[in-house]
């Protein structure tokens, strides 16, 4: 602020940076030294932005006259940091790792950060810190269909990689001449995982495996309509429990004693594990039949999924039903209903949210972009798009976002006469916005962030003119906020996810 001027600070932004943090003023930004170095300053559009520096923790720093940063680490190291234009704009840090074949699926080892990349004709362990990829020694004439990290209950500190393969795989109908699961011990070293020679091979009979998952010190295998639970033996995997599903499973997720199975026809199935059997019991399903291609566990009772129609949904088991399921799981097996009756799924999942993306979601994950940010549901689509669903903090914020979305919907060319030249970018595929977002299921409890962000975009390619922005703000009922205040609120929502 210039000398002799006074006023109020507007468009403020906040960020969790950890304890014992210090601030070093730079030329056009602020360097924050904490558990992780951050650079706070305006981006290319003048909006507040936070950029995480790709370097270890810094103990002290000073700014040189040319804009570079002289930094000292906790040891005897001295670094000179230079930020290019892409880093000043908050661009994502990317590191490319060459693979011998396109990656079909990924499995992540949380402790070491290593990736298991399932390729078309093989599998590789990838160290994201060094960029090294180690191929697993598999047969040359097999196709890898699934993979997972697993630690068995008899040796919880010894990690293994389970790889499901098929020989002579045919896609339509899905069949193979032979199927099996190879188990490889892995050694954690240098922030990654190194494979060891093959421990043993387990042949499978029946359908081709579709998904693998670790479950309470055992390996969960979905092959066709069969869901099996295996333990590690000396010469092969030992099957301890098996249940039959109404339709073939496509993806798996686990938490606690529950298994969430996405199927090809019957949407999501929730199964409870009973240790006295042992057996997996089907307890709840989704009343809307559809094919599921990806899912992520939000909490013990809530699951997010993406179906083959391009719709994102959030399903939850009611709290009263969840307590009843846990009580029945503790009863003796003789008092439980027989398996043929449980195939009818005595309980139903509630749909909390539905939103049509118009693109097939191939992966869902619940995570925070950087430490201190709010957790969100990140998704990747088959066309290569990356996006997120961010939970709003309060009911008031959700109500404001819904009212703003409704006001922007009214600016479509078929609702405002003479506004078509200015709002052509808001018209999705030539259809009404509400009808497009409800193509498969009615849109529920989700606000279209792409539509709301049209209020803050400026420049020659902006979808809305300033006059239409003020018109949309004026159309919000019982709203005493100005356009600048709504713009600051949208930036605040973005900063929650680290954007």
């Amino acid at each position: 602020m210039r000398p002799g001027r006074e006023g109020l600070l507007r468009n403020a932004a906040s960020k969790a940076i950890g304890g014992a943090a210090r601030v070093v003023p730079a030329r056009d930004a602020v360097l924050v030294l904490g558990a992780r170095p951050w650079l706070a300053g305006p981006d290319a559009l003048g909006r507040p932005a936070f950029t995480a520096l790709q370097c270890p923790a810094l103990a002290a720093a000073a700014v040189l006259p040319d804009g570079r940063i002289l930094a000292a680490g906790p040891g005897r190291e001295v670094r000179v940091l230079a930020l290019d234009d892409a880093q000043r704009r908050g661009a994502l840090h990317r590191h490319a790792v060459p693979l011998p074949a396109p990656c079909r699926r990924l499995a992540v080892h949380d402790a070491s950060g290593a990736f298991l990349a399932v390729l078309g004709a093989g599998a590789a362990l990838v160290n994201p810190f060094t960029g090294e990829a180690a191929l697993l020694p598999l047969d040359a004439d097999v196709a890898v269909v699934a993979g997972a990290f697993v630690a068995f209950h008899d040796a919880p500190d010894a990690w293994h990689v389970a790889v499901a393969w098929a020989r002579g795989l045919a896609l339509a109908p899905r069949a193979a001449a032979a199927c099996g699961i190879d188990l490889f011990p892995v050694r954690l070293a240098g922030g990654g995982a190194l494979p060891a020679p093959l421990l043993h091979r387990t042949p499978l009979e029946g359908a081709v495996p579709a998904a693998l998952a670790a479950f309470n010190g055992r390996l969960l295998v979905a092959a066709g309509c069969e869901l099996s639970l295996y333990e590690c033996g000396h010469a092969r995997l030992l099957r301890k429990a098996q249940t039959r599903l109404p339709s073939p499973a496509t993806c798996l997720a686990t938490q606690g004693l529950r298994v969430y199975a996405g199927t090809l026809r019957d949407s999501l199935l929730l199964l409870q594990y009973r240790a006295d059997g042992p057996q997996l019991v089907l307890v709840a399903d989704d009343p809307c039949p559809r094919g599921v291609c990806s899912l992520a566990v939000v909490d013990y009772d809530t699951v997010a999924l993406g179906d083959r129609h391009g719709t994102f949904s959030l399903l939850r088991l009611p709290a009263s039903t969840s307590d009843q399921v846990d009580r029945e799981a503790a009863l003796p097996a003789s008092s439980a209903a027989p398996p043929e009756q449980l195939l009818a799924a005595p309980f139903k999942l509630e749909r909390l949210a539905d939103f049509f993306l118009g693109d097939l979601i191939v992966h869902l994950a619940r995570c925070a972009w950087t430490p201190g940010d709010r957790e969100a549901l990140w998704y990747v689509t088959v066309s290569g798009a990356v996006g997120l669903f961010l939970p709003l903090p309060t009911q008031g914020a959700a109500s404001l976002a819904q009212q703003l979305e409704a006001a922007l919907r009214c600016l479509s060319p078929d609702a405002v006469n003479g506004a078509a030249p200015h709002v052509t970018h808001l018209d999705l595929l030539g259809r009404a916005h509400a009808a497009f977002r409800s193509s498969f299921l009615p849109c529920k409890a989700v606000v279209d962030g792409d539509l709301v962000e049209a209020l803050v975009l400026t420049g020659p390619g902006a979808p809305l003119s300033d006059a239409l922005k003020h018109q949309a703000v004026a159309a919000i009922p019982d709203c005493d906020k100005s356009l600048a205040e709504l713009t600051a609120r949208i930036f605040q929502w973005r900063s929650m996810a680290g954007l």
Side-chain angles (χ1 to χ4, degrees):
M1 184 177 296
R2 296 180 180 178
R5 299 290 184 90
E6 60 183 18
L8 299 177
L9 296 177
R10 305 179 65 178
N11 299 341
S14 60
K15 182 74 176 179
I17 56 177
R22 288 176 293 171
V23 176
V24 179
R27 183 171 53 187
D28 55 354
V30 174
L31 179 64
V32 181
L33 305 180
R36 184 177 185 182
W38 293 86
L39 185 68
D43 60 3
L45 300 179
R47 301 172 301 187
F50 295 86
T51 303
L53 302 183
Q54 302 297 327
C55 62
L58 303 177
V63 180
L64 301 177
D66 58 357
R68 293 181 298 173
I69 301 172
L70 183 64
R76 298 182 178 182
E77 298 180 352
V78 177
R79 301 172 180 266
V80 177
L81 307 179
L83 303 178
D84 55 15
D85 293 336
Q87 289 175 315
R88 290 179 181 272
R89 291 192 300 267
L92 302 182
H93 178 75
R94 297 181 296 178
H95 183 69
V97 178
L99 296 175
C103 182
R104 306 297 180 104
R105 293 185 180 182
L106 279 177
V108 183
H109 185 252
D110 296 331
S112 64
F115 291 90
L116 173 63
V118 176
L119 313 175
L125 280 175
V126 181
N127 189 331
F129 305 102
T130 62
E132 299 177 352
L135 291 175
L136 297 178
L138 298 171
D139 294 344
D141 59 342
V142 300
V144 179
V145 293
F149 288 95
V150 58
F152 295 98
H153 62 85
D154 55 349
D157 296 331
W159 285 92
H160 298 77
V161 170
V163 177
W165 53 266
R167 181 178 285 110
L169 178 63
L171 298 181
R174 189 176 176 86
C179 301
I181 298 177
D182 289 355
L183 195 64
F184 298 90
V186 294
R187 180 171 56 88
L188 304 181
L194 300 177
L198 175 66
L199 180 62
H200 55 62
R201 172 171 293 178
T202 304
L204 299 180
E205 298 180 357
V208 179
L212 304 178
F215 180 70
N216 290 331
R218 295 175 174 88
L219 180 63
L220 196 64
V221 180
C225 295
E226 301 292 339
L227 189 61
S228 305
L229 197 60
Y230 288 88
E231 288 185 352
C232 183
H234 293 287
R236 56 169 294 164
L237 295 175
L238 306 177
R239 188 170 62 191
K240 295 299 182 180
Q242 186 176 21
T243 188
R244 185 168 181 83
L245 305 178
S247 59
T250 57
C251 50
L252 293 174
T254 63
Q255 185 169 6
L257 296 178
R258 291 182 181 178
V259 176
Y260 311 89
T263 63
L264 193 62
R265 184 190 63 199
D266 295 287
S267 187
L268 181 70
L269 304 177
L270 192 153
L271 299 98
Q272 184 85 11
Y273 176 73
R274 299 180 62 91
D276 52 358
Q279 60 179 342
L280 293 167
V281 179
L282 177 62
V283 295
D285 62 356
D286 182 12
C288 179
R290 48 182 162 166
V292 177
C293 53
S294 59
L295 60 89
V297 178
V298 179
D299 56 36
Y300 193 59
D301 298 324
T302 312
V303 182
L305 63 87
D307 61 25
R308 296 183 180 272
H309 303 281
T311 301
F312 166 85
S313 297
L314 200 63
L315 305 178
R316 173 176 291 176
L317 187 67
S320 58
T321 305
S322 178
D323 296 338
Q324 181 179 352
V325 169
D326 292 337
R327 289 194 301 268
E328 291 181 353
L331 297 176
S334 59
S335 62
E340 57 269 13
Q341 295 182 9
L342 289 176
L343 284 177
F347 303 109
K348 299 298 177 182
L349 299 171
E350 296 179 347
R351 295 207 313 269
L352 299 182
D354 295 296
F355 187 77
F356 180 72
L357 278 175
D359 204 353
L360 189 68
I361 300 178
V362 296
H363 186 71
L364 271 170
R366 175 198 169 189
C367 60
W369 182 247
T370 52
D373 293 333
R374 177 182 289 269
E375 286 190 339
L377 285 170
W378 291 79
Y379 66 87
V380 181
T381 67
V382 70
S383 62
V386 180
L388 63 92
F389 290 92
L390 178 68
L392 294 177
T394 62
Q395 185 63 35
S399 178
L400 178 62
Q402 290 177 349
Q403 293 177 357
L404 181 57
E405 181 191 31
L408 291 173
R409 282 177 178 175
C410 297
L411 297 180
S412 59
D414 56 352
V416 179
N417 295 327
H422 303 283
V423 292
T424 53
H425 293 83
L426 291 181
D427 195 21
L428 300 175
L429 300 181
R431 302 178 58 187
H433 179 269
F436 174 74
R437 292 305 186 190
S438 306
S439 296
F440 181 70
L441 291 172
C443 183
K444 177 182 179 182
V446 179
V447 177
D448 190 351
D450 293 335
L451 182 64
V452 171
E453 283 194 342
L455 196 69
V456 302
L457 297 178
T458 58
L464 289 178
S465 63
D466 292 340
L468 288 177
K469 292 180 181 179
H470 287 282
Q471 179 182 347
V473 174
I476 302 177
D478 300 330
C479 181
D480 56 352
K481 298 184 181 297
S482 63
L483 177 60
E485 293 173 337
L486 290 177
T487 301
R489 182 64 63 89
I490 295 174
F491 287 147
Q492 181 183 3
W493 295 339
R494 289 175 56 91
S495 64
M496 293 179 184
L499 301 178

